[in-house]
Amino acid sequence: MPALPSSLISSLSCASAVTVPETAAGLPVALAVLPDPRARRGVRHRLTVVVTAAVCAVVSGYRSYAAIAEWVADVPASTALALGIDPDRRPSEAMIRRLLQALDSDRLTAAIGGWLAARATVETPAARRVIAVDGKTLRGSRTTDAAARHVLAACDQASGLVLASTDVDGKTNEITRFQPLLDQIGDLRDTVITVDALHCQRDHVAYLAERGADWILTVKANQPTLHAQLTGLPWRAVPQAARDTDRGHGRREIRTLKILSVSAGIEFPHAAQALQIRRRRRRLDQPKRFTTETVYAITSLRLHQAKPAQLAAWIRSHWHIENKIHWVRDVTYDEDRSQIRTGTGPQVMAALRNAAIGALRTADITNIAAANRHHARDSTRPLALLGIT
């Protein structure tokens, strides 16, 4: 990944550039709610201390249990003391590994997500909070006897912060984990939930209605009757409600949105509007060759609740979660090649990466790789980022 422009490198070079809201407590306070899986007898290092140190190491770009232990072993005594570690009795790699792979990964993510949400100072153009629900396979966790672990996460669209996650084990799928995932988020009233076609389920919209949330669902062939109803609507007679153009990565893309109110004719509960999203792409070196993709969606939002431009932005931002979270974890942290496989280790490490990425984003940092290098050069910088003084 290329380095940041010099002006941004300069902004990273000073620890005071990392601003934390005065009302936000440090990460150890948020982690205090986690249950310690260890027996009380013989515990030398508090759970909050070990997990906070692990997040500090991940902020600095460290990727494994051994690397985290090396960071803890190498930091100056003053940094160890600030973390709550006795400089003469630091946590070993074995101790860190045993604790992290025994943690409740869902509760860890919920604690970190709540802390990050309290820190976030993002000003969104829309009045509503929008949460994208998306899954990711941890490919490196695959073994000869077991499939790779899969995690379903809820991400704030505006900030890219992971608010909650849940493990999807081999005996179930994402559909059954949808409600347990969102149960981790306290208040969903007036929130808009965006999901892909897999979660276009009647049980899901009934649940969201009970929670007071609205939704935007992509519709594909897994709902053949509904998909046929949407494609059969008189779209040719409908004017474009929104249009935008994007140019980059050697191609040009034109996106259009059409909207129809569906008071009748759509057999899906709580659906208020049908959406047609058409994307036309062409490579800049082949100006006469276009590819066209048409996607359909439905929403519970009525015409007066969201403008067409807002709907288009929310739909597009749902796809951008792939770049904001998954791409960074795969490319910057090399997650798909991680060999951590035991216990809840894969999910816990994913949560630690989300914590590091989220903490950096709440400090208005976009180049995560450059930020990792910046924080690796001075062990006090991760502490300042995490609100440890």
Side-chain angles (χ1 to χ4, degrees):
M1 181 177 290
L4 286 170
S6 59
S7 60
L8 292 181
I9 288 289
S10 297
S11 69
L12 280 172
S13 64
C14 178
S16 62
V18 176
T19 58
V20 178
E22 293 182 1
T23 57
L27 178 60
V29 176
L31 296 176
V33 300
L34 294 177
D36 194 327
R38 300 170 295 180
R40 290 186 179 182
R41 184 176 180 181
V43 171
R44 294 180 179 177
H45 305 284
R46 300 194 309 276
L47 179 148
T48 56
V49 170
V50 177
V51 177
T52 300
V55 175
C56 287
V58 176
V59 166
S60 301
Y62 292 74
R63 303 174 179 176
S64 65
Y65 298 142
I68 291 170
E70 289 169 2
W71 185 89
V72 172
D74 291 343
V75 295
S78 57
T79 300
L81 289 170
L83 285 167
I85 298 172
D86 183 344
D88 297 324
R89 301 185 69 179
R90 307 187 187 210
S92 66
E93 186 273 340
M95 181 265 142
I96 294 171
R97 170 170 40 83
R98 286 195 297 267
L99 176 59
L100 294 185
Q101 67 189 22
L103 286 177
D104 184 326
S105 57
D106 290 356
R107 296 184 68 169
L108 173 63
T109 300
I112 292 171
W115 172 71
L116 289 172
R119 285 168 49 104
T121 57
V122 176
E123 295 182 2
T124 60
R128 287 171 173 254
R129 178 174 63 163
V130 185
I131 295 175
V133 174
D134 194 27
K136 185 182 188 301
T137 299
L138 308 177
R139 302 186 188 281
S141 63
R142 181 184 294 109
T143 67
T144 55
D145 301 323
R149 308 288 180 86
H150 191 83
V151 175
L152 185 65
C155 310
D156 181 85
Q157 276 199 11
S159 63
L161 302 179
V162 176
L163 304 176
S165 75
T166 187
D167 183 33
V168 181
D169 61 40
K171 298 180 181 179
T172 183
N173 57 40
E174 285 190 14
I175 294 174
T176 62
R177 303 305 298 162
F178 180 83
Q179 294 186 26
L181 171 72
L182 294 181
D183 282 341
Q184 300 177 40
I185 302 176
D187 188 3
L188 290 181
R189 287 175 298 178
D190 297 323
T191 298
V192 178
I193 307 297
T194 64
V195 295
D196 59 25
L198 177 65
H199 294 283
C200 185
Q201 306 290 331
R202 287 164 172 78
D203 288 345
H204 288 2
V205 300
Y207 166 80
L208 293 175
E210 291 178 0
R211 297 288 308 271
D214 284 297
W215 44 263
I216 303 173
L217 308 180
T218 302
V219 180
K220 291 185 179 179
N222 63 318
Q223 293 280 353
T225 301
L226 179 59
H227 188 262
Q229 291 173 344
L230 291 175
T231 58
L233 293 174
W235 294 109
R236 289 182 179 275
V238 179
Q240 293 179 4
R243 175 189 173 96
D244 67 282
T245 303
D246 191 20
R247 184 169 178 155
H249 305 287
R251 69 184 184 186
R252 182 171 181 258
E253 181 175 282
I254 301 171
R255 294 175 295 272
T256 60
L257 172 68
K258 293 183 177 182
I259 304 175
L260 270 175
S261 295
V262 286
S263 56
I266 296 296
E267 298 177 3
F268 202 86
H270 305 290
Q273 296 186 95
L275 314 174
Q276 184 197 69
I277 306 100
R278 178 163 290 179
R279 297 191 289 268
R280 296 189 69 204
R281 302 186 186 95
R282 69 172 174 85
R283 289 174 51 179
L284 297 181
D285 59 351
Q286 297 178 346
K288 295 184 179 180
R289 293 188 60 183
F290 276 89
T291 60
T292 302
E293 179 187 14
T294 302
V295 178
Y296 295 94
I298 52 176
T299 179
S300 62
L301 293 161
R302 301 186 181 278
L303 183 63
H304 67 278
Q305 293 180 295
K307 297 179 180 179
Q310 288 178 318
L311 291 173
W314 292 338
I315 292 168
R316 190 177 180 208
S317 293
H318 179 85
W319 298 323
H320 284 184
I321 292 299
E322 181 75 25
N323 294 330
K324 282 186 176 180
I325 303 294
H326 302 339
W327 188 88
V328 174
R329 279 165 45 182
D330 287 340
V331 175
T332 303
Y333 286 106
D334 206 14
E335 182 173 80
D336 277 350
R337 292 200 297 172
S338 172
Q339 298 299 299
I340 294 173
R341 296 167 178 167
T342 305
T344 60
Q347 299 95 312
V348 167
M349 286 302 299
L352 298 183
R353 295 179 193 113
N354 288 335
I357 295 167
L360 292 169
R361 291 205 188 282
T362 59
D364 297 325
I365 295 170
T366 57
N367 190 324
I368 305 300
N372 288 161
R373 297 190 296 270
H374 167 77
H375 287 82
R377 294 194 296 270
D378 184 342
S379 64
T380 64
R381 290 172 179 170
L383 273 64
L385 178 73
L386 302 182
I388 301 169
T389 56

